[in-house]
Amino acid sequence: MKLNNLLVAALAACSVSGAIAGEVEVLHWWTSGGEAKSVGELKKIMQAKGHTWKDFAVAGGGGDAAMTVLKSRVVAGNPPAAAQIKGPAIQEWANEGVLANLDATAKAEKWDSLLPKVVADVMKYKGNYVAAPVNVHRVNWMWANNAVLKKAGVTATPKTWDEFFAAAEKIKAAGLIPVAHGGQNWQDFTTFEDVVLGVGGAKFYQDALVKLDQKALTSPTMTKSLETFRKIKSYTDPAAPGRDWNLATAMVIGEKAAFQFMGDWAKGEFTAAGKVPGKDYTCAAAPGTANAYTFNVDSFAMFKLKDASAQKAQGDLAAAIMGTEFQEVFNLNKGSIPVRLNMSMDKFDDCAKASSKDFVATAKTGGLVPSVAHGMAISPAAEGAIKDAVSQFWNDDSITVADGVKSIAKAAATK
């Protein structure tokens, strides 16, 4: 250990700039094409500052496998510099006393003025920054194939649920599938939270799905939400159970289905297929949610490190993640938008520009709300229980709306 310290001191003394170069180890599960390319850009930025990048990629399971590895590393007293963690899980890790305080970097880089408060609060523990946000995904998107709508005689993208069901009837009559849907509980809940937001508005969404208020969960508004949710199910195809989200997107791209309710990662599928927004497909807020925005923010939590050079590298990493260079290139690759509020959107497509405009607007009006479906709002235990209750209702038509309301309210009380 002493030898390591001597080496670090020697390297620091030899440095012409006087800056301390260190190693930064980053745990993530971004291994697909665009994501891996983006991580490569972050590596380049860090290397340009003289630091050594140690990639710690754990593929699979939407991060579940990575979290298992991370827990064992932290327990062993050997955490990475940074790990891909998001939502309330950030506070759970911070509560264990293992996350580093990033306030010095955040203050120098003016994060408080660059982030909406609702997003900044997710990155903080007891008022101190412990994580750096990477991007914003809008979850409450509805994707539509323009050729399918035209074929069915639907002349405008539906803005209300009544308009949506009128369009769905025309599409069904034309022999096409109105709604492309997949069969995992997070897909069911993505649609469900769109409906709750569209039927009840942002305040009701917050009360029912974020605060888990029993009065809101058992209200007539929730009953109406479940009635609407069930009606959407009637416009999906029988092969939906078990289908992956990207295969549902492919149905819209391939003119087999008209609509899909999915976050903006679906845009990557359209782009890969050579489709152009406005011309081939439309991205619109889910019915009734034009003035609201459900967000899913990826982020890196920073762990406490003993080595001074590693701490310096960690601070530089946090600054680079929020820097304009990385924010632009990462989000162009990922299909999301920059989390910084002052970013130029010139290189982004029309869907991203619309998303950014609405992100900024809803941050001011209270319409910016965390996505429950994507782990941004409530404890993992409550989230899992509610998702299961919603999926049971979705998959079993014998469950009455009244029983569905009771089941979801009961699940929300899970600690």
Side-chain angles (χ1 to χ4, degrees), residues 112-145:
D112 274 344
S113 63
L114 293 174
L115 295 169
K117 187 179 182 299
V118 67
V119 174
D121 286 347
V122 178
M123 303 299 134
K124 293 178 180 180
Y125 177 70
K126 293 185 175 175
N128 305 119
Y129 279 100
V130 291
V134 179
N135 63 346
V136 183
H137 282 292
R138 186 180 200 171
V139 179
N140 62 313
W141 277 124
M142 177 177 72
W143 306 90
N145 184 298

Side-chain angles (χ1 to χ4, degrees), residues 121-371:
D121 286 347
V122 178
M123 303 299 134
K124 293 178 180 180
Y125 177 70
K126 293 185 175 175
N128 305 119
Y129 279 100
V130 291
V134 179
N135 63 346
V136 183
H137 282 292
R138 186 180 200 171
V139 179
N140 62 313
W141 277 124
M142 177 177 72
W143 306 90
N145 184 298
N146 294 345
V148 171
L149 297 190
K150 193 176 179 184
K151 207 180 286 182
V154 177
T155 54
T157 308
K159 288 185 171 60
T160 66
W161 286 113
D162 285 343
E163 287 175 9
F164 175 81
F165 291 125
E169 274 300 315
K170 287 183 178 178
I171 293 152
K172 198 173 178 181
L176 296 156
I177 300 163
V179 181
H181 190 75
Q184 289 117 341
N185 68 359
W186 68 267
Q187 292 192 65
D188 299 339
F189 209 96
T190 295
T191 302
F192 178 70
E193 69 182 23
D194 283 351
V195 171
V196 171
L197 187 61
V199 169
K203 187 185 181 301
F204 177 75
Y205 176 97
Q206 285 271 25
D207 289 344
L209 299 186
V210 180
K211 293 176 184 171
L212 303 178
D213 176 68
Q214 286 292 318
K215 192 178 172 188
L217 285 162
T218 54
S219 67
T221 307
M222 186 54 77
T223 298
K224 191 178 179 193
S225 296
L226 278 181
E227 287 167 353
T228 306
F229 185 55
R230 173 152 283 166
K231 196 170 179 183
I232 293 169
K233 163 86 184 297
S234 69
Y235 291 106
T236 62
D237 66 301
R243 180 187 288 140
D244 284 335
W245 71 268
N246 55 319
L247 298 179
T249 309
M251 291 167 63
V252 180
I253 293 168
E255 298 184 17
K256 292 183 176 69
F259 300 109
Q260 182 187 22
F261 298 103
M262 189 53 60
D264 53 20
W265 47 91
K267 188 178 67 178
E269 302 295 309
F270 284 96
T271 304
K275 303 298 180 186
V276 180
K279 178 173 167 268
D280 303 306
Y281 67 97
T282 295
C283 50
T289 73
N291 297 319
Y293 191 116
T294 43
F295 67 83
N296 176 18
V297 173
D298 288 309
S299 52
F300 282 101
M302 306 288 169
F303 284 80
K304 284 180 180 173
L305 303 171
K306 292 171 185 152
D307 187 278
S309 65
Q311 288 173 359
K312 171 69 172 73
Q314 187 182 55
D316 285 349
L317 175 68
I321 286 168
M322 271 287 287
T324 53
E325 183 187 350
F326 179 69
Q327 285 279 317
E328 181 173 272
V329 73
F330 180 86
N331 289 293
L332 282 169
N333 285 334
K334 187 87 161 56
S336 44
I337 63 164
V339 71
R340 283 180 69 118
L341 288 174
N342 65 344
M343 285 283 295
S344 164
M345 295 297 290
D346 291 349
K347 291 182 184 175
F348 290 81
D349 65 28
D350 290 348
C351 293
K353 283 173 181 167
S355 180
S356 181
K357 183 170 167 279
D358 290 349
F359 178 62
V360 172
T362 56
K364 293 172 184 169
T365 61
L368 185 62
V369 294
S371 168

Side-chain angles (χ1 to χ4, degrees), residues 226-227 230 393 396-407:
L226 278 181
E227 287 167 353
R230 173 152 283 166
F393 177 79
D396 186 352
D397 291 342
S398 70
I399 299 173
T400 64
V401 168
D403 283 343
V405 168
K406 282 181 199 160
S407 174

